[in-house]
Amino acid sequence: MASSHSSSPVPQRSSSDVFFKKEVDPTKHIRPVQSLPDVCPKEPTGDSNSLCVAPSLVTDQHRWTIYHSKVNLPAALNDPRLAKRESDFFTKTWGLDFVDTEVIPSFYLPQINKEHFTVYQQEISQREKIHERCKKICPPKDTFDRTLLHTHDKSRTDLEQVPKIFMKPDFALDDSLTFNSVLPWSHFNTAGGKGNRDAASSKLLQEKLSHYLDIVEVNIAHQISLRSEAFFHAMTSQHELQDYLKKTSQAVKMLRDKIAQIDKVMCEGSLHILRLALTRNNCVKVYNKLKLMATVHQTQPTVQVLLSTSEFVGALDLIATTQEVLQQELQGIHSFRHLGSQLCELEKLIDKMMIAEFSTYSHSDLNRPLEDDCQILEEERLVSLVFGLLKQRKLNFLEIYSEEMIITAKNIIKQCVINKVSQIEDIDTDVVLKLADQMRMLNFLQWFDLLKDIFSKFTIFLQRVKATLNIIHSVVLSVLDKNQRTRELEEISQQKNAAKDNSLDTEVAYLIHEGMFISDAFSESELTPIAIDATSQRNASPNSEPCSSDSVSEPECTTDSSSSKEQTSSSVTPGAVDIMVNEDMKLTDLELGKLANNVQELLYSASDICHDRAVKFLMSRAKDGFLEKLNSTEFITLSRLMETFILETEQICGRKSMSLLGALQSQANKFVNRFHEERKTKLSLLLDNERWKQADVPAEFQDLVDSIADGKIALPEKKSGATEERKPAEVLIVEGQQYAVVGTVLLLIRIILEYCQCVDNIPSVTTDMLTRLSDLLKYFNSRSCQLVLGAGALQVVGLKTITTKNLALSSRCLQLIVHYIPVIRAHFEARLQPKQYSMLRHFDHITKDYHDHIAEISAKLVAIMDSLFDKLLSKYEVKAPVPSACFRNICKQMAKMHEAIFDLLPEEQTQMLFLRINASYKLHLKKQLSHLNVINDGGPQNGLVTADVAFYTGNLQALKGLKDLDLNMAEIWEQKRALLVQNQVLIGNFPCTEK
């Protein structure tokens, strides 16, 4: 019935539910809640709770629920407060405050017209035609007769009389609650004289149930009558379907017979050949698999043999290949289930062995005797270790080597000190226990030899480290180069394969036989034996059996040789050791490049380690102020040794380490300070004891000056014997000029040369020496000015007076220093960096100060004579005798002045000085003549003055070197010319005596 109901051509009830719901709309036909009379009234006696709880068949079917609640929507929306009813349904309930305004059309919503539906109509027109055609062929199912509608309505009304409990899908009388609801026990109780009433109730219940049954049967019969046509149509269709199935079965049988004949005649032989080929391939696979299993079974013994000979790379390659074979080709083999984990543990063990082996190698290499040879210790062993560590990504081996370098550097210094101390008999090692204290007991020569030995050992040590690191660096670069070439080959191969795939156009016949394509069978028969045996040969250990002479295995051996050539390539290290670069390096190019840089940095670190240990050695010796007490020769020797070591390490490692250089610079600064303070103190003592008298010039100082004239600013070597025979000279001859000097200036020149030579010996202190030398020259200038011009020597030395000879001698000494300042400047300029040339301005300032000082001394000499002229000429009277006493005194003083300075100053300076003195004389004479009103009128007074002036001129020109001096005495008669008051600027106001 269910099938007939779903396939019935007559209208169904489910299809007409909408129509009936329209007729009996609950909003229009509200039926009051009704309840049938209780045919089984409850007993007034007994437990009232039990009576209330018991279900009732009649009263429960129309019990009120919340779904019976209904509300009229217009009534709910109506607002009784409105004065008038609005016509708009949506706005009439919005209150009195609402103001209806015109709605502005939206700019985003278009105006809809028929054109918008044109596309839809075109798309739906074809479907509409099909729908209309189907409506004509199949009449609509919902066209009912009014009689049918009336009958259906009646049957629906009858069904509503049946209680809903019978309509439940889970209705079952075996449920106690359901059974008690349908058949209450109260209707079957006959006790207490109520039998007649109970019998009537039972009879009424039976009739009621029978009535329900009749209603249901009638409705079922009605439904069957409505679907009778579909039922008979289904029966007719079943007979036709059986006929169709019978014909189809016969056609299938005939087709199978034909296929069987075709298979026997055309396909059976070919498929048998394919089966044989597959069987042969399977046998070959099994044979190769067994051979591969035998090879893998020999992995662990072979690894043990390789490890016994320290072939870590070969052992790791064998383990990696075996693991690859286990994961790809022998996966699932029960006998090898534990081999993978065993190989992993063995690989971890090899990692530890390699690290321990590298640590042992580093210790052995760095701690072997430091001889002159720098041969690499077991180069092949080092290459093998480095390759193994790179393969396992154990990049911390450089840290191990660095730690070993630090320990070795410490041991080198310790062993050198022990060897040196053991050779000194004066050191009692039983009393002085600490090695550092024993080392401090060495004198400079012993300690210098020790330092030289340490530097030589460090040099050999760095050469040895460089050779070892070069091997490691070459291995890293070889792996990096191989990776790059392999990547290039892979790119070329991929391009070729892509071109080959594009050119091939194959047709594969997908003839399925036993779950395999025929094309696959042929391809596997050709390629699989070669690939399997190639893998087997690649994974074979060095001690495995060679390829058999089987016909299947012969081509496989050839393939193995070619594949092994493709996987590895040979390269040569700088030590001429052949290394095999494996493709299975897990490091990227970035990591390899970083590792190569770390190797180079490790070489720099080795240099820094040696320099740091040397600095600590120096500082331990300098604790008692030993280095600060060195003299210039010792410190220069030490400085040269350290600079040589710094240069050698820079040449070896390619970078200059700054720690030892910084320590040297620090000690050099201390040395410069002490050097300068000693010489400045010495110069101060010399100046304080200088009596400013001309000193004899020893031959060694003349040789010193002569060496400077040859262009060499250096202290000449002492000549034994020859110097003692030569007597001291009165003056110092410099480039043909004679310089009368004091002893302090001679020593000052020697001190200046010591500064210059120190710069040559210690170039790093050039700037400091320049500053200190400038300070020394300024100090000499200022102190000599205080002692001579400032008359400080009167109190310091105890001189009675500062004479003109003292002044002239001081001026000449200053001129000698000024003569050598350009030479000193050129010496320092040649040793300064271009950016340091600004420091040379100190010499310009010093030169200016010296010239000013010399000019002040000259002015002082003129001032002495000026005061004398003023004193004598102020008492001058024009009268006999001639020459007058005044002029005789003036000539006498001029002769004394000439006698004092002529042997000290050059002739040109003497003439210039007397010209200035003569100018002062003429001014004072002119002033006195003006005061006496003596004019050039040819009178007696004029004659007397002329006679005195002639006497003065004659005596002055008679002095040595002043014969050609142009005195121009006619200027004294220019009465109208104003007195030159500015002459005081030239002669100055320096208080000094005339002698």
Side-chain angles (χ1 to χ4, degrees):
M1 292 300 291
S3 62
S4 64
H5 174 73
S6 60
S7 61
S8 176
V10 297
Q12 305 296 322
R13 176 184 174 183
S14 60
S15 62
S16 61
D17 286 344
V18 178
F19 180 79
F20 286 108
K21 287 179 181 179
K22 208 170 195 180
E23 292 295 328
V24 285
D25 191 350
T27 59
K28 296 181 180 180
H29 303 281
I30 302 175
R31 186 175 62 182
V33 180
Q34 299 178 357
S35 61
L36 295 176
D38 190 4
V39 295
C40 303
K42 298 178 175 58
E43 295 293 333
T45 61
D47 190 1
S48 60
N49 294 331
S50 63
L51 293 175
C52 296
V53 173
S56 175
L57 180 64
V58 179
T59 60
D60 289 346
Q61 61 180 340
H62 294 296
R63 179 175 296 175
W64 187 89
T65 62
I66 59 173
Y67 299 105
H68 291 83
S69 176
K70 299 177 178 60
V71 179
N72 190 356
L73 184 60
L77 297 177
N78 190 17
D79 188 358
R81 295 174 297 176
L82 292 176
K84 62 177 180 178
R85 295 188 178 276
E86 300 293 339
S87 60
D88 190 357
F89 173 77
F90 298 101
T91 61
K92 67 182 182 179
T93 61
W94 289 1
L96 296 173
D97 298 332
F98 173 72
V99 178
D100 192 6
T101 58
E102 183 180 358
V103 179
I104 301 174
S106 174
F107 297 103
Y108 302 101
L109 298 178
Q111 295 293 333
I112 304 301
N113 50 31
K114 292 184 177 181
E115 294 180 356
H116 289 83
F117 299 96
T118 304
V119 178
Y120 174 75
Q121 290 177 351
Q122 292 175 356
E123 293 177 355
I124 208 67
S125 59
Q126 186 66 24
R127 298 181 184 179
E128 185 180 5
K129 293 179 182 178
I130 296 174
H131 177 68
E132 293 297 334
R133 188 165 57 250
C134 291
K135 285 175 65 177
K136 293 179 181 179
I137 296 174
C138 298
K141 297 180 180 180
D142 294 337
T143 55
F144 290 104
D145 191 1
R146 287 293 178 184
T147 305
L148 292 175
L149 296 175
H150 178 71
T151 305
H152 186 73
D153 189 17
K154 182 179 179 181
S155 62
R156 183 181 182 86
T157 305
D158 294 337
L159 284 175
E160 288 181 353
Q161 297 178 7
V162 180
K164 293 183 179 180
I165 191 172
F166 294 103
M167 301 301 179
K168 292 182 178 180
D170 56 347
F171 176 79
L173 289 176
D174 54 356
D175 186 11
S176 60
L177 296 177
T178 304
F179 185 82
N180 292 331
S181 299
V182 175
L183 299 174
W185 289 102
S186 60
H187 294 274
F188 302 99
N189 188 4
T190 57
K194 299 179 182 179
N196 296 330
R197 184 178 177 180
D198 292 337
S201 298
S202 300
K203 186 176 181 181
L204 181 61
L205 177 62
Q206 184 177 4
E207 291 178 356
K208 191 173 187 66
L209 294 176
S210 299
H211 176 66
Y212 294 160
L213 179 62
D214 294 339
I215 292 173
V216 172
E217 289 179 350
V218 169
N219 278 275
I220 292 174
H222 177 68
Q223 292 295 330
I224 293 174
S225 65
L226 292 177
R227 291 165 176 79
S228 60
E229 183 178 356
F231 177 76
F232 291 113
H233 178 71
M235 295 297 296
T236 305
S237 300
Q238 185 175 8
H239 292 296
E240 294 179 357
L241 181 61
Q242 289 179 354
D243 294 338
Y244 290 151
L245 289 175
K246 185 176 181 181
K247 293 180 182 179
T248 303
S249 176
Q250 294 176 356
V252 169
K253 184 178 180 181
M254 292 176 61
L255 180 60
R256 287 181 174 178
D257 293 338
K258 290 182 181 180
I259 291 175
Q261 293 178 0
I262 293 173
D263 180 55
K264 185 176 182 180
V265 174
M266 301 182 64
C267 302
E268 186 173 356
S270 301
L271 292 177
H272 182 66
I273 293 173
L274 291 178
R275 291 192 192 96
L276 292 177
L278 293 175
T279 302
R280 180 180 181 278
N281 290 336
N282 291 334
C283 292
V284 171
K285 289 180 181 179
V286 172
Y287 170 73
N288 291 329
K289 190 73 71 175
L290 292 174
K291 192 164 62 172
L292 183 60
M293 291 175 65
T295 303
V296 171
H297 184 66
Q298 296 296 323
T299 298
Q300 288 180 315
T302 306
V303 169
Q304 297 295 337
V305 173
L306 292 173
L307 292 180
S308 64
T309 58
S310 298
E311 291 290 338
F312 299 106
V313 179
L316 290 172
D317 288 340
L318 182 57
I319 291 174
T321 307
T322 304
Q323 288 178 338
E324 182 181 357
V325 171
L326 287 175
Q327 294 176 0
Q328 296 181 0
E329 303 180 22
L330 296 181
Q331 189 174 10
I333 302 299
H334 186 72
S335 59
F336 290 151
R337 64 186 183 278
H338 300 304
L339 183 59
S341 60
Q342 293 174 358
L343 292 178
C344 291
E345 294 298 327
L346 189 59
E347 187 174 2
K348 295 179 181 178
L349 178 62
I350 293 175
D351 293 346
K352 296 180 181 179
M353 291 177 63
M354 285 192 300
I355 293 175
E357 186 74 12
F358 184 80
S359 179
T360 304
Y361 174 84
S362 301
H363 181 77
S364 302
D365 180 46
L366 296 177
N367 289 278
R368 57 195 169 113
L370 292 170
E371 300 175 355
D372 293 337
D373 63 327
C374 298
Q375 296 295 330
I376 300 175
L377 180 65
E378 299 180 15
E379 184 174 349
E380 295 181 357
R381 176 185 174 192
L382 175 61
V383 172
S384 176
L385 283 173
V386 174
F387 266 105
L389 293 170
L390 291 180
K391 182 177 178 62
Q392 295 303 108
R393 300 179 64 88
K394 301 297 181 181
L395 305 182
N396 58 342
F397 68 93
L398 294 179
E399 298 177 0
I400 297 174
Y401 197 80
S402 177
E403 294 174 357
E404 194 63 38
M405 285 193 307
I406 296 174
I407 297 173
T408 304
K410 293 180 180 179
N411 293 335
I412 288 174
I413 294 180
K414 184 176 180 181
Q415 190 62 39
C416 289
V417 173
I418 292 173
N419 294 338
K420 189 64 178 178
V421 170
S422 63
Q423 297 174 4
I424 308 300
E425 298 178 356
D426 299 338
I427 300 176
D428 189 359
T429 56
D430 296 333
V431 178
V432 183
L433 300 179
K434 291 185 179 180
L435 193 61
D437 295 336
Q438 296 174 5
M439 183 265 296
R440 293 190 187 98
M441 297 179 66
L442 301 176
N443 57 33
F444 175 76
L445 293 178
Q446 294 170 347
W447 181 80
F448 184 78
D449 292 338
L450 174 60
L451 183 62
K452 185 187 296 183
D453 184 35
I454 292 173
F455 283 166
S456 63
K457 295 293 179 60
F458 274 157
T459 302
I460 299 173
F461 168 73
L462 289 177
Q463 292 174 349
R464 187 171 295 171
V465 170
K466 181 180 181 181
T468 302
L469 293 180
N470 282 341
I471 295 299
I472 298 175
H473 192 261
S474 64
V475 171
V476 175
L477 293 182
S478 299
V479 175
L480 179 60
D481 181 64
K482 178 57 182 176
N483 287 352
Q484 294 176 352
R485 287 191 282 114
T486 302
R487 191 182 304 107
E488 293 175 358
L489 292 176
E490 289 178 355
E491 293 177 356
I492 295 173
S493 177
Q494 290 177 358
Q495 293 176 359
K496 290 182 179 180
N497 292 336
K500 183 177 179 181
D501 293 340
N502 293 333
S503 63
L504 294 177
D505 186 12
T506 58
E507 295 180 358
V508 181
Y510 295 97
L511 180 59
I512 302 176
H513 178 70
E514 294 185 357
M516 179 175 292
F517 298 125
I518 292 179
S519 58
D520 294 340
F522 280 111
S523 62
E524 287 189 5
S525 65
E526 294 175 355
L527 302 177
T528 303
I530 299 176
I532 292 176
D533 196 64
T535 306
S536 174
Q537 294 297 327
R538 183 182 71 247
N539 299 333
S541 64
N543 298 331
S544 61
E545 298 179 358
C547 298
S548 63
S549 59
D550 191 275
S551 59
V552 180
S553 301
E554 288 178 358
E556 299 163 9
C557 298
T558 305
T559 307
D560 174 68
S561 63
S562 62
S563 64
S564 64
K565 292 178 182 178
E566 293 176 358
Q567 285 193 355
T568 59
S569 64
S570 177
S571 61
V572 181
T573 61
V577 178
D578 292 337
I579 55 177
M580 300 303 293
V581 182
N582 193 351
E583 289 183 357
D584 193 19
M585 290 295 179
K586 303 176 183 179
L587 297 173
T588 62
D589 291 352
L590 181 61
E591 292 174 329
L592 290 172
K594 185 177 180 181
L595 183 61
N597 293 333
N598 291 340
V599 172
Q600 186 64 36
E601 289 295 331
L602 186 60
L603 181 59
Y604 299 153
S605 177
S607 176
D608 294 338
I609 289 171
C610 294
H611 282 246
D612 292 341
R613 301 313 306 178
V615 169
K616 290 184 179 180
F617 178 76
L618 289 173
M619 293 300 104
S620 64
R621 188 66 181 91
K623 284 185 178 180
D624 54 355
F626 173 76
L627 298 180
E628 296 179 1
K629 298 176 183 178
L630 299 179
N631 56 37
S632 301
T633 305
E634 292 174 344
F635 186 83
I636 290 170
T637 305
L638 175 62
S639 176
R640 287 178 177 175
L641 177 63
M642 295 173 66
E643 289 177 352
T644 303
F645 176 69
I646 293 172
L647 182 61
E648 289 178 353
T649 55
E650 182 180 2
Q651 292 175 352
I652 294 173
C653 301
R655 189 181 71 176
K656 180 183 292 186
S657 297
M658 303 306 296
S659 58
L660 185 59
L661 187 62
L664 176 60
Q665 187 65 37
S666 176
Q667 293 298 325
N669 292 336
K670 295 180 181 179
F671 169 75
V672 168
N673 291 332
R674 182 174 57 84
F675 180 88
H676 177 66
E677 291 299 329
E678 289 178 355
R679 280 144 185 80
K680 187 174 181 180
T681 303
K682 181 179 180 181
L683 179 61
S684 177
L685 293 175
L686 291 173
L687 287 173
D688 290 343
N689 294 293
E690 180 60 58
R691 303 190 65 85
W692 298 101
K693 292 182 179 181
Q694 183 176 358
D696 294 334
V697 180
E700 60 175 342
F701 286 97
Q702 185 62 53
D703 295 338
L704 188 66
V705 172
D706 294 339
S707 65
I708 299 176
D710 296 336
K712 298 179 182 178
I713 301 183
L715 295 174
E717 297 180 359
K718 294 183 179 180
K719 300 178 181 179
S720 59
T723 306
E724 297 177 357
E725 298 176 359
R726 298 169 57 188
K727 296 181 180 180
E730 294 182 358
V731 293
L732 185 68
I733 301 176
V734 179
E735 296 181 0
Q737 294 187 11
Q738 296 180 355
Y739 286 88
V741 293
V742 296
T744 302
V745 174
L746 293 176
L747 294 176
L748 176 60
I749 293 176
R750 185 179 182 87
I751 291 173
I752 292 173
L753 294 184
E754 289 177 355
Y755 275 83
C756 295
Q757 188 173 10
C758 187
V759 169
D760 291 336
N761 295 328
I762 312 176
S764 60
V765 298
T766 302
T767 55
D768 291 339
M769 279 295 183
L770 189 149
T771 306
R772 301 301 194 283
L773 181 56
S774 301
D775 179 66
L776 187 71
L777 293 175
K778 290 178 181 178
Y779 176 76
F780 174 76
N781 185 37
S782 61
R783 186 59 178 163
S784 61
C785 182
Q786 293 173 2
L787 293 173
V788 180
L789 281 179
L794 299 178
Q795 292 80 20
V796 176
V797 186
L799 295 179
K800 295 180 180 180
T801 181
I802 303 297
T803 63
T804 54
K805 191 170 186 178
N806 298 139
L807 292 172
L809 192 60
S810 175
S811 176
R812 196 58 175 159
C813 292
L814 293 174
Q815 292 174 19
L816 178 62
I817 300 302
V818 171
H819 173 79
Y820 282 114
I821 287 179
V823 180
I824 299 170
R825 175 192 174 100
H827 180 80
F828 277 91
E829 184 176 4
R831 287 152 183 81
L832 287 175
Q833 300 294 332
K835 61 182 179 180
Q836 299 173 339
Y837 285 167
S838 60
M839 299 184 65
L840 297 175
R841 68 181 184 277
H842 293 297
F843 292 111
D844 299 334
H845 298 161
I846 293 171
T847 303
K848 181 179 180 301
D849 293 341
Y850 272 68
H851 282 301
D852 293 342
H853 190 184
I854 294 170
E856 289 176 1
I857 293 175
S858 300
K860 181 64 175 177
L861 293 174
V862 175
I864 294 173
M865 298 306 296
D866 183 76
S867 62
L868 181 64
F869 293 150
D870 184 49
K871 179 180 179 182
L872 295 177
L873 291 177
S874 62
K875 300 177 181 180
Y876 174 63
E877 295 179 358
V878 183
K879 62 180 180 178
V882 177
S884 64
C886 177
F887 273 81
R888 282 197 299 267
N889 288 332
I890 290 174
C891 291
K892 183 179 179 180
Q893 294 300 327
M894 293 289 281
K896 288 182 178 181
M897 170 68 74
H898 180 269
E899 181 182 0
I901 68 173
F902 182 77
D903 294 334
L904 301 178
L905 297 178
E907 185 176 348
E908 296 81 5
Q909 294 184 18
T910 305
Q911 292 178 359
M912 292 299 299
L913 182 61
F914 274 90
L915 282 177
R916 293 179 60 186
I917 293 173
N918 183 58
S920 176
Y921 161 76
K922 288 189 292 184
L923 286 176
H924 287 284
L925 180 59
K926 192 175 184 179
K927 178 181 178 183
Q928 185 64 23
L929 293 177
S930 177
H931 177 68
L932 297 175
N933 293 321
V934 178
I935 60 176
N936 188 11
D937 56 357
Q941 290 183 341
N942 184 296
L944 292 174
V945 172
T946 302
D948 287 335
V949 171
F951 173 78
Y952 165 80
T953 303
N955 280 277
L956 188 59
Q957 291 181 346
L959 297 177
K960 188 177 181 180
L962 302 181
K963 182 179 181 181
D964 299 331
L965 195 63
D966 186 11
L967 300 179
N968 194 12
M969 300 304 295
E971 295 179 356
I972 62 174
W973 301 111
E974 295 179 3
Q975 300 293 336
K976 300 299 182 182
R977 184 178 179 184
L979 294 177
L980 298 177
V981 183
Q982 293 82 356
N983 186 47
Q984 297 297 328
V985 179
L986 295 175
I987 62 178
N989 294 318
F990 300 99
C992 187
T993 61
E994 60 183 25
K995 292 186 179 179

